[in-house]
Amino acid sequence: VQLQASGGGLVQPGGSLRLSCAAAGSIFSINVMGWYRQAPGEQRELVATFTSGERTYYQDFVKGRFTISRDNAKNTLYLQMSSLKPEDTAVYYCSAYIKITAASGYRQYWGQGTLVTVSS
């Protein structure tokens, strides 16, 4: 199982980016999917996530600016980021709890990260 994140890049303050994360491989079921980020010298932190009940949760610092969505048919997670600020600069990681067989438990997988730089 692999999670492939894409969509990062350099954007000016106030700009927008859309991140994607596609899950591929032997997948029986995907449960919780979410986005995290890690700024230089900082710990990885949760940005937004789908909960086990398919509800969304956003950290206060992105509420109203970021939107998380998913396409279950494509096993793909998205993060639409708007009104970006320099403090949003970080490597963004996607995460998913995936079951590879009906009998297996859910295991957390991570994407490789995609760099978002917000700068003028």
Side-chain angles (χ1 to χ4, degrees):
V1 173
Q2 286 188 327
L3 298 182
Q4 183 67 43
S6 61
L10 173 64
V11 63
Q12 292 187 340
S16 299
L17 279 177
R18 188 194 194 205
L19 306 183
S20 299
C21 174
S26 178
I27 297 171
F28 177 81
S29 176
I30 300 177
N31 195 347
V32 175
M33 296 186 80
W35 289 97
Y36 293 72
R37 71 186 187 186
Q38 187 169 16
E42 301 291 333
Q43 290 189 334
R44 191 173 299 187
E45 61 182 356
L46 175 67
V47 176
T49 186
F50 280 95
T51 69
S52 59
E54 292 293 324
R55 296 179 181 177
T56 56
Y57 172 83
Y58 296 90
Q59 290 280 43
D60 286 345
F61 52 76
V62 301
K63 279 182 180 178
R65 300 189 300 122
F66 291 9
T67 302
I68 190 172
S69 62
R70 63 192 286 181
D71 184 335
N72 291 330
K74 296 181 179 180
N75 288 336
T76 301
L77 181 72
Y78 303 98
L79 186 68
Q80 178 66 47
M81 305 185 294
S82 303
S83 302
L84 283 160
K85 306 174 182 180
E87 51 264 43
D88 293 319
T89 295
V91 177
Y92 283 72
Y93 298 90
C94 57
S95 166
Y97 284 83
I98 296 173
K99 181 184 286 195
I100 61 172
T101 69
S104 67
Y106 283 98
R107 175 193 160 188
Q108 187 177 24
Y109 291 84
W110 292 91
Q112 84 284 7
T114 184
L115 176 63
V116 173
T117 303
V118 185
S119 175
S120 55

